[in-house]
Amino acid sequence: MAEKLKRPGGELASRPLHFFWIVDCSGSMYGEKIGTVNHAIQSTIPDMVDAAENNPNAQLLIRTLKFSTGASWVTTTPVPVEDFAWDDLEAGGVTDLRKAFDLLAAQLTIPPMSDRALPPVLVLLSDGQPTDDYKKSLDQLLHLPWGKKAVRIAISIGQDADDSVLTEFTGNRELVLQANNAAMLTKMIKWASTAASMVSAPASRIKQDDKGADRPGSAPADGLLPQGGGKAPLVLDMNNIPNPDDIGEDDVW
């Protein structure tokens, strides 16, 4: 019986999977909104560690990018999920989304990305409208090979969020998650954090219908949404997204 092939120096190494939290820290996020974001993301870490342990073929690496007046990396280099600690964010300033996209695009090239990496996961949280001209920077981001392949999810916080901008980012309005109170924001953040555990799902599970199920704004009847134009090896189960209608009328942002 033939021996299993091994790379020089040892067994086949796991592939890096980069997960990015991209958080709006503008003044309108002050108070309960940013507090909920801090608490919810902190609470997702143990579940993400468990999911990573159950996926030995991927090394989950986390980074946090914040934007308000300007943008900056909270996590300066990718951190293995088991070593990741959330630093609480504070809110204040305007919404310089363009600068956030510029910083993100600089990290989605080779290098610093590895050509062996799995599709990255980008989760954008925002409660308002960009105060700068973001379109050129977003276009550049989405034309990068890793920008195209990325799993792009947005969480729309409150009724003043510009969902059209978030849909431009995700490429599919099904992946703009509505969060109009603290409970729903927590649920949406926890759902988005599970996307990392789905990136290595086999490509054979991707389902499309004859009408182009992966077009922006559409999803297959069975709720499985292919990413990356059906080319990236993962499927997101849209049936598991919490229902944003399950909130009290007097308890909305």
Side-chain angles (χ1 to χ4, degrees):
M1 185 174 178
E3 293 183 358
K4 292 183 178 179
L5 292 175
K6 294 184 178 181
R7 288 183 177 273
E11 296 181 356
L12 182 65
S14 60
R15 299 171 65 186
L17 194 171
H18 293 267
F19 186 106
F20 297 87
W21 292 111
I22 308 156
V23 184
D24 182 349
C25 293
S26 61
S28 56
M29 287 286 291
Y30 184 82
E32 187 180 23
K33 291 179 183 178
I34 198 65
T36 302
V37 169
N38 285 326
H39 178 74
I41 295 182
Q42 177 69 44
S43 71
T44 67
I45 296 174
D47 291 337
M48 295 181 79
V49 170
D50 289 343
E53 290 177 350
N54 292 326
N55 188 0
N57 296 320
Q59 180 189 22
L60 181 56
L61 303 168
I62 314 292
R63 293 190 73 179
T64 305
L65 174 62
K66 65 178 182 179
F67 63 98
S68 54
T69 302
S72 62
W73 290 104
V74 179
T75 314
T76 54
T77 57
V79 176
V81 65
E82 59 271 18
D83 299 325
F84 180 71
W86 179 257
D87 293 324
D88 281 354
L89 303 176
E90 298 180 355
V94 297
T95 311
D96 287 341
L97 188 56
R98 174 182 61 82
K99 294 181 180 179
F101 288 152
D102 287 342
L103 288 177
L104 187 60
Q107 298 301 309
L108 295 183
T109 58
I110 301 175
M113 289 283 286
S114 164
D115 58 1
R116 295 186 60 254
L118 290 161
V121 179
L122 317 179
V123 182
L124 171 63
L125 297 85
S126 182
D127 77 329
Q129 300 183 2
T131 50
D132 57 5
D133 186 0
Y134 68 91
K135 288 185 177 291
K136 182 177 179 181
S137 293
L138 176 58
D139 186 63
Q140 291 175 339
L141 172 66
L142 298 183
H143 278 83
L144 291 171
W146 282 119
K148 292 178 182 178
K149 294 180 181 179
V151 182
R152 302 186 304 277
I153 298 169
I155 300 179
S156 173
I157 303 173
Q159 300 179 68
D160 294 331
D162 191 334
D163 288 354
S164 63
V165 174
L166 300 180
T167 301
E168 288 179 54
F169 170 75
T170 65
N172 193 312
R173 67 173 177 266
E174 298 286 337
L175 288 176
V176 178
L177 314 181
Q178 303 296 320
N180 288 329
N181 67 2
M184 191 54 60
L185 177 55
T186 298
K187 290 180 180 180
M188 292 304 186
I189 286 173
K190 289 186 175 181
W191 185 87
S193 73
T194 67
S197 65
M198 298 183 235
V199 168
S200 58
S204 60
R205 288 178 51 198
I206 295 178
K207 299 180 180 181
Q208 298 185 57
D209 59 22
D210 293 335
K211 298 181 180 179
D214 58 341
R215 293 176 312 192
S218 63
D222 61 6
L224 297 178
L225 184 66
Q227 290 291 288
K231 298 177 182 178
L234 90 146
V235 172
L236 293 180
D237 187 352
M238 306 301 288
N239 294 317
N240 290 333
I241 295 179
N243 186 349
D245 295 329
D246 295 340
I247 58 175
E249 292 183 2
D250 297 327
D251 190 24
V252 298
W253 285 326

Short mmCIF file of all heavy atoms in Angstrom, two decimals, residues 46-105:
data_model
loop_
_atom_site.label_atom_id
_atom_site.label_comp_id
_atom_site.label_asym_id
_atom_site.label_seq_id
_atom_site.Cartn_x
_atom_site.Cartn_y
_atom_site.Cartn_z
N PRO A 46 -15.16 31.99 22.59
CA PRO A 46 -15.10 30.55 22.92
C PRO A 46 -15.71 29.67 21.83
O PRO A 46 -15.17 28.60 21.53
CB PRO A 46 -15.90 30.47 24.23
CG PRO A 46 -15.78 31.83 24.83
CD PRO A 46 -15.80 32.78 23.66
N ASP A 47 -16.83 30.10 21.24
CA ASP A 47 -17.46 29.30 20.18
C ASP A 47 -16.57 29.24 18.94
O ASP A 47 -16.50 28.20 18.26
CB ASP A 47 -18.82 29.88 19.80
CG ASP A 47 -19.85 29.72 20.91
OD1 ASP A 47 -19.66 28.82 21.75
OD2 ASP A 47 -20.83 30.49 20.94
N MET A 48 -15.89 30.35 18.62
CA MET A 48 -14.99 30.34 17.47
C MET A 48 -13.79 29.44 17.73
O MET A 48 -13.31 28.76 16.82
CB MET A 48 -14.55 31.77 17.15
CG MET A 48 -15.68 32.68 16.69
SD MET A 48 -15.14 34.36 16.28
CE MET A 48 -14.44 34.12 14.63
N VAL A 49 -13.31 29.42 18.97
CA VAL A 49 -12.20 28.52 19.32
C VAL A 49 -12.64 27.07 19.15
O VAL A 49 -11.91 26.24 18.57
CB VAL A 49 -11.73 28.78 20.76
CG1 VAL A 49 -10.74 27.69 21.21
CG2 VAL A 49 -11.06 30.15 20.87
N ASP A 50 -13.85 26.74 19.63
CA ASP A 50 -14.36 25.37 19.50
C ASP A 50 -14.50 24.98 18.03
O ASP A 50 -14.15 23.86 17.64
CB ASP A 50 -15.71 25.24 20.20
CG ASP A 50 -15.59 25.30 21.72
OD1 ASP A 50 -14.47 25.12 22.23
OD2 ASP A 50 -16.63 25.53 22.38
N ALA A 51 -15.04 25.90 17.22
CA ALA A 51 -15.21 25.60 15.80
C ALA A 51 -13.86 25.38 15.13
O ALA A 51 -13.71 24.50 14.28
CB ALA A 51 -15.96 26.74 15.11
N ALA A 52 -12.85 26.17 15.51
CA ALA A 52 -11.52 26.02 14.92
C ALA A 52 -10.90 24.68 15.29
O ALA A 52 -10.24 24.04 14.48
CB ALA A 52 -10.62 27.17 15.38
N GLU A 53 -11.13 24.24 16.52
CA GLU A 53 -10.59 22.95 16.95
C GLU A 53 -11.21 21.79 16.18
O GLU A 53 -10.57 20.76 15.98
CB GLU A 53 -10.82 22.77 18.45
CG GLU A 53 -9.96 23.69 19.31
CD GLU A 53 -10.24 23.55 20.79
OE1 GLU A 53 -11.26 22.89 21.14
OE2 GLU A 53 -9.47 24.09 21.61
N ASN A 54 -12.44 21.99 15.74
CA ASN A 54 -13.14 20.95 14.97
C ASN A 54 -12.83 21.01 13.48
O ASN A 54 -13.38 20.23 12.71
CB ASN A 54 -14.65 21.07 15.19
CG ASN A 54 -15.05 20.70 16.61
OD1 ASN A 54 -14.43 19.84 17.22
ND2 ASN A 54 -16.07 21.37 17.13
N ASN A 55 -11.99 21.95 13.07
CA ASN A 55 -11.63 22.11 11.67
C ASN A 55 -10.10 22.12 11.56
O ASN A 55 -9.49 23.18 11.38
CB ASN A 55 -12.23 23.40 11.11
CG ASN A 55 -12.04 23.51 9.61
OD1 ASN A 55 -11.47 22.62 8.97
ND2 ASN A 55 -12.50 24.60 9.04
N PRO A 56 -9.46 20.95 11.67
CA PRO A 56 -7.99 20.90 11.70
C PRO A 56 -7.34 21.32 10.39
O PRO A 56 -6.13 21.55 10.36
CB PRO A 56 -7.70 19.44 12.03
CG PRO A 56 -8.90 18.70 11.54
CD PRO A 56 -10.06 19.61 11.77
N ASN A 57 -8.11 21.42 9.32
CA ASN A 57 -7.53 21.79 8.03
C ASN A 57 -7.38 23.30 7.85
O ASN A 57 -6.85 23.75 6.84
CB ASN A 57 -8.41 21.24 6.90
CG ASN A 57 -8.44 19.73 6.90
OD1 ASN A 57 -7.43 19.09 7.14
ND2 ASN A 57 -9.61 19.16 6.66
N ALA A 58 -7.87 24.08 8.83
CA ALA A 58 -7.79 25.53 8.73
C ALA A 58 -7.22 26.11 10.02
O ALA A 58 -7.52 25.64 11.11
CB ALA A 58 -9.17 26.13 8.47
N GLN A 59 -6.39 27.13 9.86
CA GLN A 59 -5.90 27.89 11.00
C GLN A 59 -6.63 29.23 11.02
O GLN A 59 -6.41 30.08 10.16
CB GLN A 59 -4.39 28.12 10.92
CG GLN A 59 -3.84 28.91 12.10
CD GLN A 59 -2.39 29.34 11.92
OE1 GLN A 59 -1.90 29.41 10.80
NE2 GLN A 59 -1.72 29.63 13.02
N LEU A 60 -7.52 29.42 11.98
CA LEU A 60 -8.35 30.62 12.05
C LEU A 60 -7.57 31.77 12.66
O LEU A 60 -7.10 31.70 13.80
CB LEU A 60 -9.62 30.34 12.86
CG LEU A 60 -10.62 31.47 13.01
CD1 LEU A 60 -11.07 31.99 11.65
CD2 LEU A 60 -11.83 31.02 13.83
N LEU A 61 -7.44 32.86 11.90
CA LEU A 61 -6.70 34.05 12.32
C LEU A 61 -7.66 35.24 12.35
O LEU A 61 -8.39 35.48 11.40
CB LEU A 61 -5.55 34.33 11.35
CG LEU A 61 -4.54 33.19 11.16
CD1 LEU A 61 -3.64 33.46 9.97
CD2 LEU A 61 -3.71 32.99 12.43
N ILE A 62 -7.63 36.00 13.45
CA ILE A 62 -8.59 37.08 13.66
C ILE A 62 -7.88 38.44 13.64
O ILE A 62 -6.77 38.59 14.15
CB ILE A 62 -9.31 36.93 15.02
CG1 ILE A 62 -9.79 35.50 15.23
CG2 ILE A 62 -10.48 37.91 15.11
CD1 ILE A 62 -10.89 35.07 14.31
N ARG A 63 -8.57 39.44 13.05
CA ARG A 63 -8.11 40.82 13.13
C ARG A 63 -9.32 41.74 13.31
O ARG A 63 -10.43 41.42 12.86
CB ARG A 63 -7.34 41.25 11.89
CG ARG A 63 -6.02 40.54 11.71
CD ARG A 63 -5.19 41.15 10.61
NE ARG A 63 -4.63 42.45 11.01
CZ ARG A 63 -3.84 43.18 10.23
NH1 ARG A 63 -3.53 42.76 9.01
NH2 ARG A 63 -3.35 44.33 10.65
N THR A 64 -9.09 42.89 13.94
CA THR A 64 -10.14 43.89 14.14
C THR A 64 -9.69 45.21 13.53
O THR A 64 -8.58 45.68 13.78
CB THR A 64 -10.42 44.11 15.64
OG1 THR A 64 -10.74 42.86 16.26
CG2 THR A 64 -11.58 45.08 15.83
N LEU A 65 -10.59 45.79 12.72
CA LEU A 65 -10.36 47.09 12.10
C LEU A 65 -11.48 48.02 12.55
O LEU A 65 -12.66 47.68 12.45
CB LEU A 65 -10.38 46.93 10.57
CG LEU A 65 -10.29 48.20 9.71
CD1 LEU A 65 -8.99 48.93 9.95
CD2 LEU A 65 -10.43 47.83 8.22
N LYS A 66 -11.13 49.20 13.06
CA LYS A 66 -12.14 50.17 13.47
C LYS A 66 -12.06 51.41 12.59
O LYS A 66 -11.00 51.77 12.09
CB LYS A 66 -11.97 50.56 14.95
CG LYS A 66 -10.68 51.31 15.25
CD LYS A 66 -10.61 51.70 16.73
CE LYS A 66 -9.33 52.49 17.02
NZ LYS A 66 -9.25 52.91 18.44
N PHE A 67 -13.22 52.05 12.40
CA PHE A 67 -13.22 53.29 11.62
C PHE A 67 -14.19 54.29 12.23
O PHE A 67 -15.26 53.94 12.72
CB PHE A 67 -13.55 53.03 10.15
CG PHE A 67 -14.91 52.46 9.88
CD1 PHE A 67 -15.97 53.28 9.49
CD2 PHE A 67 -15.16 51.09 9.99
CE1 PHE A 67 -17.22 52.76 9.22
CE2 PHE A 67 -16.42 50.57 9.73
CZ PHE A 67 -17.45 51.40 9.35
N SER A 68 -13.77 55.53 12.25
CA SER A 68 -14.61 56.66 12.66
C SER A 68 -14.03 57.87 11.95
O SER A 68 -14.15 57.98 10.73
CB SER A 68 -14.64 56.83 14.18
OG SER A 68 -13.32 56.91 14.72
N THR A 69 -13.34 58.78 12.67
CA THR A 69 -12.56 59.81 12.01
C THR A 69 -11.20 59.18 11.69
O THR A 69 -10.33 59.10 12.55
CB THR A 69 -12.39 61.04 12.92
OG1 THR A 69 -13.69 61.54 13.27
CG2 THR A 69 -11.60 62.13 12.21
N GLY A 70 -11.08 58.66 10.47
CA GLY A 70 -9.93 57.83 10.14
C GLY A 70 -10.25 56.37 10.41
O GLY A 70 -11.37 56.01 10.80
N ALA A 71 -9.27 55.52 10.19
CA ALA A 71 -9.42 54.09 10.43
C ALA A 71 -8.09 53.54 10.90
O ALA A 71 -7.03 54.07 10.54
CB ALA A 71 -9.89 53.37 9.17
N SER A 72 -8.14 52.48 11.69
CA SER A 72 -6.89 51.89 12.19
C SER A 72 -7.11 50.45 12.59
O SER A 72 -8.24 50.04 12.91
CB SER A 72 -6.34 52.69 13.38
OG SER A 72 -7.25 52.66 14.46
N TRP A 73 -6.03 49.69 12.57
CA TRP A 73 -6.07 48.30 13.03
C TRP A 73 -5.99 48.26 14.55
O TRP A 73 -5.09 48.83 15.14
CB TRP A 73 -4.92 47.50 12.44
CG TRP A 73 -5.05 47.28 10.97
CD1 TRP A 73 -4.38 47.91 9.97
CD2 TRP A 73 -5.94 46.36 10.33
NE1 TRP A 73 -4.79 47.45 8.75
CE2 TRP A 73 -5.74 46.48 8.93
CE3 TRP A 73 -6.88 45.44 10.81
CZ2 TRP A 73 -6.46 45.73 8.02
CZ3 TRP A 73 -7.60 44.69 9.89
CH2 TRP A 73 -7.38 44.83 8.52
N VAL A 74 -6.95 47.59 15.16
CA VAL A 74 -6.89 47.32 16.60
C VAL A 74 -5.95 46.15 16.83
O VAL A 74 -5.15 46.14 17.77
CB VAL A 74 -8.29 47.02 17.16
CG1 VAL A 74 -8.21 46.72 18.67
CG2 VAL A 74 -9.23 48.18 16.88
N THR A 75 -6.04 45.17 15.94
CA THR A 75 -5.16 44.00 15.97
C THR A 75 -4.17 44.19 14.83
O THR A 75 -4.52 44.05 13.67
CB THR A 75 -5.98 42.71 15.75
OG1 THR A 75 -7.15 42.75 16.58
CG2 THR A 75 -5.16 41.48 16.09
N THR A 76 -2.93 44.52 15.16
CA THR A 76 -1.99 44.94 14.13
C THR A 76 -1.54 43.80 13.22
O THR A 76 -1.21 44.03 12.06
CB THR A 76 -0.74 45.56 14.78
OG1 THR A 76 -0.18 44.65 15.73
CG2 THR A 76 -1.11 46.86 15.49
N THR A 77 -1.56 42.56 13.72
CA THR A 77 -1.21 41.40 12.91
C THR A 77 -2.24 40.31 13.16
O THR A 77 -2.92 40.31 14.19
CB THR A 77 0.19 40.86 13.28
OG1 THR A 77 0.22 40.53 14.67
CG2 THR A 77 1.27 41.89 12.96
N PRO A 78 -2.40 39.38 12.22
CA PRO A 78 -3.36 38.29 12.42
C PRO A 78 -3.02 37.47 13.67
O PRO A 78 -1.87 37.11 13.89
CB PRO A 78 -3.22 37.45 11.14
CG PRO A 78 -2.63 38.39 10.13
CD PRO A 78 -1.74 39.30 10.89
N VAL A 79 -4.05 37.19 14.48
CA VAL A 79 -3.85 36.47 15.75
C VAL A 79 -4.62 35.15 15.69
O VAL A 79 -5.81 35.14 15.36
CB VAL A 79 -4.36 37.31 16.93
CG1 VAL A 79 -4.25 36.53 18.24
CG2 VAL A 79 -3.60 38.63 17.03
N PRO A 80 -3.98 34.01 16.00
CA PRO A 80 -4.72 32.75 16.07
C PRO A 80 -5.88 32.87 17.05
O PRO A 80 -5.75 33.50 18.11
CB PRO A 80 -3.67 31.75 16.60
CG PRO A 80 -2.35 32.35 16.19
CD PRO A 80 -2.54 33.83 16.28
N VAL A 81 -7.03 32.31 16.69
CA VAL A 81 -8.23 32.53 17.47
C VAL A 81 -8.05 32.12 18.93
O VAL A 81 -8.59 32.76 19.84
CB VAL A 81 -9.43 31.80 16.84
CG1 VAL A 81 -9.24 30.28 16.88
CG2 VAL A 81 -10.74 32.22 17.50
N GLU A 82 -7.24 31.09 19.19
CA GLU A 82 -7.06 30.65 20.56
C GLU A 82 -6.27 31.67 21.40
O GLU A 82 -6.30 31.63 22.63
CB GLU A 82 -6.37 29.29 20.61
CG GLU A 82 -5.01 29.23 19.96
CD GLU A 82 -5.06 28.88 18.48
OE1 GLU A 82 -6.15 29.03 17.86
OE2 GLU A 82 -4.01 28.46 17.95
N ASP A 83 -5.56 32.60 20.73
CA ASP A 83 -4.81 33.64 21.43
C ASP A 83 -5.48 35.01 21.34
O ASP A 83 -4.97 35.99 21.89
CB ASP A 83 -3.39 33.76 20.84
CG ASP A 83 -2.59 32.48 20.98
OD1 ASP A 83 -2.76 31.79 22.01
OD2 ASP A 83 -1.81 32.17 20.06
N PHE A 84 -6.63 35.08 20.66
CA PHE A 84 -7.27 36.36 20.41
C PHE A 84 -7.99 36.87 21.65
O PHE A 84 -8.68 36.13 22.34
CB PHE A 84 -8.26 36.23 19.26
CG PHE A 84 -8.99 37.49 18.92
CD1 PHE A 84 -8.34 38.55 18.31
CD2 PHE A 84 -10.34 37.64 19.22
CE1 PHE A 84 -9.00 39.72 17.99
CE2 PHE A 84 -11.03 38.80 18.91
CZ PHE A 84 -10.35 39.85 18.29
N ALA A 85 -7.79 38.16 21.95
CA ALA A 85 -8.53 38.83 23.03
C ALA A 85 -9.16 40.09 22.46
O ALA A 85 -8.50 40.86 21.76
CB ALA A 85 -7.58 39.17 24.19
N TRP A 86 -10.43 40.30 22.76
CA TRP A 86 -11.13 41.47 22.25
C TRP A 86 -10.80 42.70 23.08
O TRP A 86 -10.89 42.67 24.31
CB TRP A 86 -12.64 41.23 22.26
CG TRP A 86 -13.43 42.42 21.77
CD1 TRP A 86 -14.12 43.32 22.52
CD2 TRP A 86 -13.57 42.84 20.41
NE1 TRP A 86 -14.70 44.27 21.72
CE2 TRP A 86 -14.37 44.00 20.41
CE3 TRP A 86 -13.09 42.35 19.19
CZ2 TRP A 86 -14.72 44.68 19.24
CZ3 TRP A 86 -13.43 43.02 18.03
CH2 TRP A 86 -14.23 44.17 18.06
N ASP A 87 -10.40 43.78 22.42
CA ASP A 87 -10.17 45.06 23.08
C ASP A 87 -11.42 45.91 22.90
O ASP A 87 -11.82 46.20 21.77
CB ASP A 87 -8.97 45.79 22.47
CG ASP A 87 -7.65 45.07 22.73
OD1 ASP A 87 -7.51 44.50 23.83
OD2 ASP A 87 -6.79 45.07 21.84
N ASP A 88 -12.04 46.31 24.00
CA ASP A 88 -13.26 47.12 23.91
C ASP A 88 -13.03 48.39 23.11
O ASP A 88 -12.02 49.08 23.29
CB ASP A 88 -13.76 47.48 25.31
CG ASP A 88 -14.51 46.33 25.96
OD1 ASP A 88 -14.73 45.30 25.28
OD2 ASP A 88 -14.86 46.45 27.15
N LEU A 89 -13.98 48.69 22.23
CA LEU A 89 -13.89 49.87 21.37
C LEU A 89 -14.72 51.01 21.96
O LEU A 89 -15.72 50.77 22.64
CB LEU A 89 -14.39 49.53 19.97
CG LEU A 89 -13.68 48.38 19.26
CD1 LEU A 89 -14.34 48.10 17.92
CD2 LEU A 89 -12.20 48.69 19.07
N GLU A 90 -14.30 52.24 21.68
CA GLU A 90 -15.04 53.42 22.08
C GLU A 90 -15.53 54.15 20.83
O GLU A 90 -14.94 54.03 19.76
CB GLU A 90 -14.16 54.35 22.93
CG GLU A 90 -13.70 53.71 24.24
CD GLU A 90 -12.84 54.65 25.06
OE1 GLU A 90 -12.53 55.77 24.57
OE2 GLU A 90 -12.46 54.28 26.19
N ALA A 91 -16.63 54.89 20.98
CA ALA A 91 -17.25 55.55 19.83
C ALA A 91 -17.08 57.06 19.89
O ALA A 91 -17.12 57.67 20.96
CB ALA A 91 -18.74 55.19 19.76
N GLY A 92 -16.90 57.68 18.71
CA GLY A 92 -16.80 59.13 18.59
C GLY A 92 -16.24 59.49 17.22
O GLY A 92 -15.43 58.76 16.66
N GLY A 93 -16.71 60.60 16.66
CA GLY A 93 -16.19 61.03 15.36
C GLY A 93 -17.14 60.74 14.22
O GLY A 93 -18.32 60.40 14.42
N VAL A 94 -16.62 60.85 13.00
CA VAL A 94 -17.42 60.67 11.79
C VAL A 94 -17.25 59.25 11.25
O VAL A 94 -16.77 58.37 11.97
CB VAL A 94 -17.05 61.73 10.72
CG1 VAL A 94 -17.39 63.12 11.24
CG2 VAL A 94 -15.57 61.64 10.36
N THR A 95 -17.66 59.02 10.00
CA THR A 95 -17.69 57.65 9.45
C THR A 95 -16.84 57.57 8.19
O THR A 95 -17.35 57.62 7.06
CB THR A 95 -19.16 57.24 9.15
OG1 THR A 95 -19.99 57.53 10.28
CG2 THR A 95 -19.25 55.75 8.84
N ASP A 96 -15.53 57.44 8.36
CA ASP A 96 -14.60 57.40 7.22
C ASP A 96 -14.47 55.97 6.70
O ASP A 96 -13.46 55.29 6.94
CB ASP A 96 -13.24 57.94 7.64
CG ASP A 96 -13.23 59.46 7.83
OD1 ASP A 96 -14.15 60.11 7.30
OD2 ASP A 96 -12.33 59.97 8.50
N LEU A 97 -15.48 55.52 5.96
CA LEU A 97 -15.49 54.15 5.47
C LEU A 97 -14.43 53.93 4.40
O LEU A 97 -13.86 52.85 4.29
CB LEU A 97 -16.88 53.83 4.92
CG LEU A 97 -17.14 52.38 4.53
CD1 LEU A 97 -16.89 51.43 5.69
CD2 LEU A 97 -18.59 52.22 4.03
N ARG A 98 -14.14 54.96 3.60
CA ARG A 98 -13.12 54.81 2.56
C ARG A 98 -11.78 54.38 3.15
O ARG A 98 -11.11 53.50 2.60
CB ARG A 98 -12.95 56.13 1.81
CG ARG A 98 -11.80 56.11 0.79
CD ARG A 98 -11.62 57.45 0.10
NE ARG A 98 -11.29 58.52 1.04
CZ ARG A 98 -10.06 58.75 1.49
NH1 ARG A 98 -9.05 57.98 1.12
NH2 ARG A 98 -9.84 59.76 2.32
N LYS A 99 -11.40 55.00 4.25
CA LYS A 99 -10.11 54.67 4.85
C LYS A 99 -10.09 53.24 5.37
O LYS A 99 -9.06 52.56 5.32
CB LYS A 99 -9.79 55.67 5.96
CG LYS A 99 -9.58 57.09 5.41
CD LYS A 99 -9.25 58.09 6.51
CE LYS A 99 -9.05 59.49 5.92
NZ LYS A 99 -8.75 60.51 6.95
N ALA A 100 -11.24 52.77 5.85
CA ALA A 100 -11.32 51.38 6.29
C ALA A 100 -11.13 50.42 5.11
O ALA A 100 -10.40 49.43 5.21
CB ALA A 100 -12.67 51.12 6.97
N PHE A 101 -11.78 50.71 3.98
CA PHE A 101 -11.63 49.87 2.81
C PHE A 101 -10.19 49.89 2.30
O PHE A 101 -9.67 48.86 1.84
CB PHE A 101 -12.59 50.32 1.70
CG PHE A 101 -14.03 49.99 1.96
CD1 PHE A 101 -15.05 50.79 1.43
CD2 PHE A 101 -14.39 48.89 2.73
CE1 PHE A 101 -16.38 50.50 1.66
CE2 PHE A 101 -15.73 48.59 2.96
CZ PHE A 101 -16.72 49.39 2.43
N ASP A 102 -9.54 51.05 2.35
CA ASP A 102 -8.14 51.14 1.91
C ASP A 102 -7.23 50.25 2.76
O ASP A 102 -6.37 49.53 2.24
CB ASP A 102 -7.64 52.59 1.97
CG ASP A 102 -8.24 53.47 0.87
OD1 ASP A 102 -8.76 52.91 -0.12
OD2 ASP A 102 -8.20 54.70 1.03
N LEU A 103 -7.40 50.31 4.08
CA LEU A 103 -6.58 49.49 4.97
C LEU A 103 -6.85 48.01 4.75
O LEU A 103 -5.92 47.18 4.75
CB LEU A 103 -6.85 49.86 6.43
CG LEU A 103 -6.30 51.20 6.91
CD1 LEU A 103 -6.71 51.45 8.36
CD2 LEU A 103 -4.78 51.27 6.77
N LEU A 104 -8.11 47.67 4.56
CA LEU A 104 -8.48 46.27 4.34
C LEU A 104 -7.89 45.75 3.04
O LEU A 104 -7.33 44.64 2.98
CB LEU A 104 -9.99 46.14 4.35
CG LEU A 104 -10.57 44.73 4.30
CD1 LEU A 104 -10.10 43.91 5.49
CD2 LEU A 104 -12.10 44.79 4.26
N ALA A 105 -8.00 46.54 1.98
CA ALA A 105 -7.49 46.11 0.67
C ALA A 105 -5.99 45.84 0.72
O ALA A 105 -5.49 44.90 0.07
CB ALA A 105 -7.80 47.17 -0.38
#
